[in-house]
Amino acid sequence: MELSKLIKYARGEEEADLLLKNVRLVNVLSGEIYLTNVAIARTRIVGIGEYRAKEEIDLDGYYLCPGFIDGHVHIESSMLTIPEFAKAVVPHGTTAVVIDPHEIANVLGLDGIRYMLESSKYNPLSVYVMLPSCVPSTDMETSGSRLASYDLAPLFSDPWVLGLAEVMNYPGVIFGNSEVLAKIASAGDNPIDGHAPGLSGRDLAAYVAAGVGSDHECTTIEEAREKLRLGMYVMIREGSTAHNLRDLLPLVTPENSRRMMFVTDDWHPADLMDKGHIDHLIRLAIDQGLEPIIAIQMATINPAEYFGLKELGAIVPGRRADLVLFDDFKNFRILKVWRGGKLVAEDGKIIPWERPPRPVTLRSSMNVNWDGVDFRIPAQSSRIRVIQVVPGQIVTRKLVTEAKIVDGYAVADVERDILKIAVIERHMASGNMGKGFVQGFGLKKGALASSVAHDSHNIVVVGATDDDMMKAAREIEAMKGGLVAVADGKVLARLALPIAGLMSEKPINEVREELEELTEAAKALGCTLKEPFMAMSFLALPVIPELKLTDKGLVDVTQFKFVPLFEPER
């Protein structure tokens, strides 16, 4: 809108398009709630109070607040495309998200980032991007891409790119790794997100001095307080995997709350459907005793200010009319949602919108050299290192135990819950294959496989027999990525994820249904884990202790080095 036109609307010289009458306005700037009207022209808020408008809607004294902003989320973790994700979150009041396309970038590099940017267009959800800073996350696994500072630099000119995403390689910052510092420099004055669990003292000071402005990995009040004191924004995370809100909320006070915001990080289909999105975090915070105005600020103006989104986050003249109508602070039921002055959701339902056909093509991400795939493990001694799963956590334990050896090969031992695990490189057809053993799944037969395996997303397979493991791995390739459960050579359940091996083309209800079928199939095979595929997805992540497996071999994360599968004989 032309500035002169905006001024005329604001002065009441021209009739507004829409007047939302009789609302209790949640003013996140003044900290007040008061009864008034909100005038909208085209996509903008043009005034508060008495205005003439072409259309008037009496909203019966319900509460009106700015649209919610998720300050850090990996949409790939939902396994949904961006339009399907939008359908799920917009009815819950989310009108903007800040994504880190780290997962798809590890598979498809710049093509993956561009895919996320392109598929974000023409949706009822504003999708802003922070550029992945760590692709690959380590050199101990094979990813589908390697992004240097000069690869990222041109993308900072895109208006939907806000800054540099979570700098996971904090040792690289602290010890002055030239490439890590070059990425930070390439961000210029744009926001730089952090990822530094447990970092403290002078090392944290160095990290902050380098320009890192936020962190979403705090798990204790002490950790969050130290980061606040050094000038960082604290992102309070409540996701499907990590639940930190209740632990961190006691730190929030009226004096420091404007330096905090809510984020989900990873949010899965069942939680989207059953709990909602940022509205769930607000509801939870208020239930825990947080002042409602502060809770709303942490979901609106705080992330808007941190990311420099000057047109979002508040209901004042000139800002975009991203608005949420809700009943009260007790139930916090979302009634209506507007984005850019247009009603986009009502009574928990998305309002259908026209999206011009914009096919965004991606290459296949399945490039496996099957000549190198052999699940047999020749015995080199009688003792093996075993990855021990910790239920409900992404950390593992190290176990050294006797191997079950048959005809000179180490094999799965279901009686002791020791299964085979393999990671098959799927990006470069290198033939790399890591093999090992894992305890804690409880499978009595069959195999599970997935192309979702953080961070490089190679194919991970856990199973009781080599034949079923091969069948499961082959099925992953046939689906162009996904999750599968197999037994006796037959597929019991599957979910195809043909977009980079990470995302489905199906609607959320079908994705959830197929995920639940997979979980039930795993349970029928004897699996004792509540979410076996989630647990499996972190077994190849060589930056989370203690013992992990990549396509290059077994990694002792506490020593950050490869270790042999077999222990020497005593």
Side-chain angles (χ1 to χ4, degrees), residues 197-239:
L199 196 64
S200 183
R202 291 180 178 177
D203 286 344
L204 178 60
Y207 191 62
V208 174
V212 179
S214 69
D215 187 86
H216 62 275
E217 291 291 335
C218 296
T219 58
T220 67
I221 286 177
E222 293 73 24
E223 180 182 3
R225 180 182 286 118
E226 183 179 8
K227 288 173 178 174
L228 273 178
R229 286 175 173 175
L230 292 185
M232 300 184 88
Y233 275 78
V234 170
M235 296 175 169
I236 295 182
R237 174 177 57 187
E238 186 70 18

Side-chain angles (χ1 to χ4, degrees), residues 339-351:
R339 178 179 176 267
K342 181 178 180 181
L343 188 67
V344 290
E346 188 171 20
D347 295 328
K349 304 291 184 183
I350 196 78
I351 293 175

Side-chain angles (χ1 to χ4, degrees), residues 187-495:
D189 294 329
N190 296 305
I192 300 170
D193 282 347
H195 173 117
L199 196 64
S200 183
R202 291 180 178 177
D203 286 344
L204 178 60
Y207 191 62
V208 174
V212 179
S214 69
D215 187 86
H216 62 275
E217 291 291 335
C218 296
T219 58
T220 67
I221 286 177
E222 293 73 24
E223 180 182 3
R225 180 182 286 118
E226 183 179 8
K227 288 173 178 174
L228 273 178
R229 286 175 173 175
L230 292 185
M232 300 184 88
Y233 275 78
V234 170
M235 296 175 169
I236 295 182
R237 174 177 57 187
E238 186 70 18
S240 293
T241 306
H243 306 278
N244 307 129
L245 189 146
R246 287 183 176 88
D247 291 333
L248 296 181
L249 212 59
L251 178 63
V252 182
T253 67
E255 291 78 18
N256 66 22
S257 63
R258 291 299 303 278
R259 304 287 292 187
M260 302 192 201
M261 70 189 83
F262 293 129
V263 304
T264 58
D265 198 5
D266 297 300
W267 205 236
H268 300 158
D271 287 328
L272 278 170
M273 294 182 73
D274 294 344
K275 298 178 181 178
H277 191 226
I278 294 297
D279 61 325
H280 168 66
L281 278 65
I282 296 171
R283 194 178 298 113
L284 189 59
I286 293 172
D287 286 346
Q288 294 292 305
L290 187 65
E291 192 67 32
I293 284 273
I294 292 177
I296 299 292
Q297 287 172 330
M298 290 171 64
T300 58
I301 190 63
N302 294 7
E305 288 184 345
Y306 169 68
F307 288 108
L309 298 171
K310 295 181 180 179
E311 62 179 19
L312 304 183
I315 303 178
V316 293
R319 301 215 184 190
R320 198 169 71 202
D322 289 5
L323 308 168
V324 175
L325 188 77
F326 62 96
D327 56 356
D328 53 47
F329 288 109
K330 182 179 181 181
N331 298 306
F332 205 70
R333 184 168 61 91
I334 308 302
L335 305 175
K336 297 178 187 286
V337 183
W338 292 264
R339 178 179 176 267
K342 181 178 180 181
L343 188 67
V344 290
E346 188 171 20
D347 295 328
K349 304 291 184 183
I350 196 78
I351 293 175
W353 76 97
E354 286 189 19
R355 189 168 188 262
R358 294 177 60 90
V360 186
T361 57
L362 282 175
R363 64 170 173 83
S364 170
S365 64
M366 286 292 148
N367 302 288
V368 179
N369 178 359
W370 291 103
D371 292 340
V373 177
D374 182 353
F375 289 95
R376 294 176 300 173
I377 302 176
Q380 297 176 20
S381 80
S382 62
R383 293 174 61 77
I384 52 173
R385 290 181 172 89
V386 176
I387 301 169
Q388 216 173 20
V389 173
V390 180
Q393 298 188 38
I394 62 176
V395 298
T396 63
R397 299 284 179 257
K398 293 181 287 188
L399 173 70
V400 177
T401 188
E402 294 295 316
K404 181 178 180 180
I405 299 173
V406 177
D407 298 330
Y409 292 94
V411 298
D413 185 352
V414 295
E415 298 302 318
R416 292 191 293 153
D417 186 21
I418 296 176
L419 304 172
K420 271 190 183 177
I421 179 172
V423 177
I424 303 166
E425 192 276 315
R426 67 157 168 122
H427 306 294
M428 307 295 182
S430 67
N432 286 353
M433 181 180 182
K435 291 177 275 191
F437 292 92
V438 63
Q439 185 181 64
F441 277 81
L443 292 185
K444 300 301 182 184
K445 60 187 294 187
L448 310 176
S450 172
S451 59
V452 179
H454 305 283
D455 271 333
S456 290
H457 300 292
N458 289 302
I459 298 172
V460 59
V461 192
V462 171
T465 69
D466 293 357
D467 288 345
D468 279 341
M469 292 178 77
M470 180 63 84
K471 173 66 176 177
R474 286 283 192 175
E475 185 65 22
I476 295 292
E477 183 193 46
M479 294 189 293
K480 298 183 179 178
L483 317 176
V484 67
V486 168
D488 301 321
K490 296 180 180 179
V491 173
L492 305 180
R494 62 162 70 88
L495 169 61

Side-chain angles (χ1 to χ4, degrees), residues 88-99:
V89 303
V90 169
H92 291 281
T94 302
T95 54
V97 293
V98 181
I99 70 169

Side-chain angles (χ1 to χ4, degrees), residues 70-256:
D70 188 340
H72 178 76
V73 61
H74 303 279
I75 286 183
E76 305 98 310
S77 295
S78 71
M79 301 183 186
L80 305 174
T81 61
I82 288 177
E84 288 299 323
F85 184 82
K87 289 178 186 177
V89 303
V90 169
H92 291 281
T94 302
T95 54
V97 293
V98 181
I99 70 169
D100 172 6
H102 169 86
E103 313 296 349
I104 197 169
N106 264 290
V107 178
L108 296 170
L110 292 176
D111 287 344
I113 298 173
R114 292 191 182 103
Y115 167 81
M116 298 299 274
L117 283 165
E118 284 299 311
S119 58
S120 297
K121 296 176 180 177
Y122 302 104
N123 288 301
L125 175 72
S126 296
V127 180
Y128 299 94
V129 173
M130 297 289 278
L131 296 178
S133 65
C134 297
V135 176
S137 60
T138 76
D139 290 321
M140 305 185 85
E141 55 186 335
T142 304
S143 69
S145 183
R146 182 175 294 272
L147 297 180
S149 57
Y150 51 77
D151 295 312
L152 299 177
L155 290 174
F156 283 109
S157 62
D158 190 296
W160 294 95
V161 171
L162 301 181
L164 190 67
E166 50 182 316
V167 182
M168 293 183 284
N169 188 2
Y170 57 85
V173 177
I174 295 164
F175 297 113
N177 178 280
S178 59
E179 178 54 31
V180 175
L181 298 187
K183 287 179 181 176
I184 289 174
S186 70
D189 294 329
N190 296 305
I192 300 170
D193 282 347
H195 173 117
L199 196 64
S200 183
R202 291 180 178 177
D203 286 344
L204 178 60
Y207 191 62
V208 174
V212 179
S214 69
D215 187 86
H216 62 275
E217 291 291 335
C218 296
T219 58
T220 67
I221 286 177
E222 293 73 24
E223 180 182 3
R225 180 182 286 118
E226 183 179 8
K227 288 173 178 174
L228 273 178
R229 286 175 173 175
L230 292 185
M232 300 184 88
Y233 275 78
V234 170
M235 296 175 169
I236 295 182
R237 174 177 57 187
E238 186 70 18
S240 293
T241 306
H243 306 278
N244 307 129
L245 189 146
R246 287 183 176 88
D247 291 333
L248 296 181
L249 212 59
L251 178 63
V252 182
T253 67
E255 291 78 18
N256 66 22

